[in-house]
Amino acid sequence: MGICRRRNTVPYAAVLTKDEDECGPTQPTEDVDAGVGQQTFIVTKLVMLRSIGVVYFFAFLAAYNQNRALLGSAGLSPAHSHLEQVRSRTAIDSFMAHPCIWWFWPLTDDRLDAVALAGVALSALVCVGACSSIVMLALWLLYFSIVTAAGGSSFYQYGWESQMLETGFLSIFLCELRPWSLSRTHPPSVATLWLFRWLMWRISIGAGLIKVRGDSCWTQRRCLWYHFETQPIPSPTSFFFHFLPKPILSAAIDLDLFVQLYSAWLVLVPGCGPLRWLRRMGGVIQAGFMFNIALSGNFSFLNHLTMIPALACLDDACWPVWLRPTEPAAANVPRGAPPKGQSSAMVRLGRLALDAVVVGTVGYLSLPVVENLLQLGGRQVMNSSFGSFRLVNTYGAFGSVGEARYEPILSISWDGRGWTELDFPCKPGNLTRRPCLSAPYHHRLDWNVWFIGFKPHAAMLRQREAWLYTLLAKLLTADELALSLLDSSAREVFRGPTGERRAPLYAKVDMWHYMMSAPLWELLPLWFRGGQPVVWWTREYEEPLIPVVLLHDGQLARAPLPLA
């Protein structure tokens, strides 16, 4: 079987009276595949838009559930303070430097939640097919507003934030230029499809180059020997991949670099005649590669988001017939009928002009990105932007891989003698708790805690994750917002006999070396059988990170020894 099968014309093809494919204008044909005739991307457009809607939905849902505790006025890193620091003389100047709605609609906790809820609602509509360029523009601006508000913290300093913004920006031009549309037969702009392919190429090439230029374990074919154990949030399947034979893991590195450095070029192959098979193959390889990575751990919405530009390589012949949309009026449109009225011609002309502007803008902004890939101005930098609107960015992941997993474990005590460890929703902690399956949902605090595991731990704590001190102070007051960031089992610890919240007297953070206990094929039968708890992790004590502290006049202070 080939990548895409030959298919007959379906009803919606009748409305494509005069379409433009990437090799020039063509007329509809009974054969939409077989290497000849017109290529259409209507199904591709619908799948891409709904996929973007799904990713937006989970991103905004996570923002609604966590942002008040992270960025609110009583959160770990209040966004209002950051916005005041970067505010310019006028709202327009502030917007051009730091795009968000907060310069025109001042930030409050309720409005922070309202933006996230509006994003959830709009993205849900996109998921069911009700979208337009106006809706996608609104989603882009809403998410940009959240990212900008979080600029003073490390909670949104991930490469996929810029990737979400760039993907969301391109999706604006994937839709019809109308306030609202339920149409399922309008073809996408060929120029926009090429911009998605250009994004896919940069993501793949950037990730491959940062690996061979970064950690030597990639070129020595050793990184995957420990990556699955030391990745941010392992899933149960990580216990399968980690224990595969080392020769297989080394061969997987060869495959990884081949996909990212060599097969990535296939997405830029023009779809003229038989060449479209190479482009299709490139899209399938990139999407399949991301799917495989998604199976190996919890990487937030990164892999799901990266699959989307790869889909731009697949024309409609690559999708099942049942995905083909139909509209009742489509069959009544004569083949080859000219557009009705002058307005249609004006719309087409306007669309061509808009495409020219967008392609020119992306092309110009791509110059420093290409220079970065070629290292013309110094070493390659990953996950960086070269403009305040983040329209074109650099990408990369796991340029370096830790060889051991070190976890900061938070503990509290009411008397200084008995200590209770606190679990986060997903990161390893309790040795017998099954690893979670959370992607594409993003537990942001769990991810940030992972960075403290890099040595020297104390330096990473001070330079990047200083919010941990604020979290400890809030836990010592049993702060409700801070408790919402913990696992439900940890929140129960703060409840007294009658259900009231009770604040502990002491807190501390210790570093532990965590190791996977056994392969998944040994642990799963024990887990399904039930009875005794299954030990997923083993650990060894390493060092104290934050010694025992208490609250003194509302501030964290080192507890005097011996403890009471």
Side-chain angles (χ1 to χ4, degrees), residues 23 42 74 82 96 107 180 214 301 408 434 444 463-464 500 539:
C23 297
I42 295 176
H82 167 68
M96 296 305 293
L107 176 68
W180 199 267
F301 51 78
R434 177 185 61 79
R444 292 192 176 272
Q463 297 168 11
R464 193 182 193 278
E500 78 284 1
R539 69 180 187 179

Side-chain angles (χ1 to χ4, degrees), residues 285-315:
I285 290 174
Q286 295 298 325
F289 182 61
M290 285 297 110
F291 181 75
N292 176 72
I293 295 177
L295 289 178
S296 69
N298 293 295
F299 297 99
S300 180
F301 51 78
L302 173 61
N303 305 123
H304 308 75
L305 182 64
T306 307
M307 292 181 198
I308 294 171
L311 299 180
C313 299
L314 308 179
D315 54 78

Side-chain angles (χ1 to χ4, degrees), residues 48 52 75 182 237 245 275 282 339 378 448 456 480 500 508 511:
M48 290 177 67
I52 294 170
L182 293 173
T237 55
L275 288 178
N448 281 64
E480 186 175 358
E500 78 284 1
K508 65 175 182 175
M511 297 301 303

Side-chain angles (χ1 to χ4, degrees), residues 413-476:
S413 175
W414 280 265
D415 56 13
R417 293 185 295 272
W419 290 89
T420 301
E421 295 184 359
L422 304 178
D423 279 333
F424 287 80
C426 262
K427 89 173 192 70
N430 188 330
L431 302 181
T432 59
R433 187 177 67 164
R434 177 185 61 79
C436 72
L437 289 166
S438 61
Y441 190 86
H442 188 183
H443 291 285
R444 292 192 176 272
L445 210 61
D446 294 58
W447 270 78
N448 281 64
V449 167
W450 174 73
F451 286 95
I452 301 176
F454 287 99
K455 291 186 175 182
H457 309 303
M460 188 62 69
L461 171 65
R462 291 192 304 269
Q463 297 168 11
R464 193 182 193 278
E465 311 299 342
W467 54 265
L468 185 56
Y469 293 107
T470 305
L471 177 63
L472 289 182
K474 289 181 176 296
L475 292 179
L476 289 174

Side-chain angles (χ1 to χ4, degrees), residues 167-214:
T167 304
F169 174 76
L170 294 181
S171 70
I172 297 171
F173 308 98
L174 194 61
C175 300
E176 297 177 65
L177 301 178
R178 301 178 182 177
W180 199 267
S181 175
L182 293 173
S183 173
R184 305 180 67 207
T185 61
H186 193 278
S189 159
V190 173
T192 303
L193 293 175
W194 271 106
L195 292 179
F196 272 107
R197 295 167 194 166
W198 174 237
L199 170 60
M200 184 69 254
W201 181 85
R202 288 185 288 112
I203 293 172
S204 186
I205 288 291
L209 289 177
I210 202 68
K211 288 175 180 175
V212 298
R213 292 168 175 170

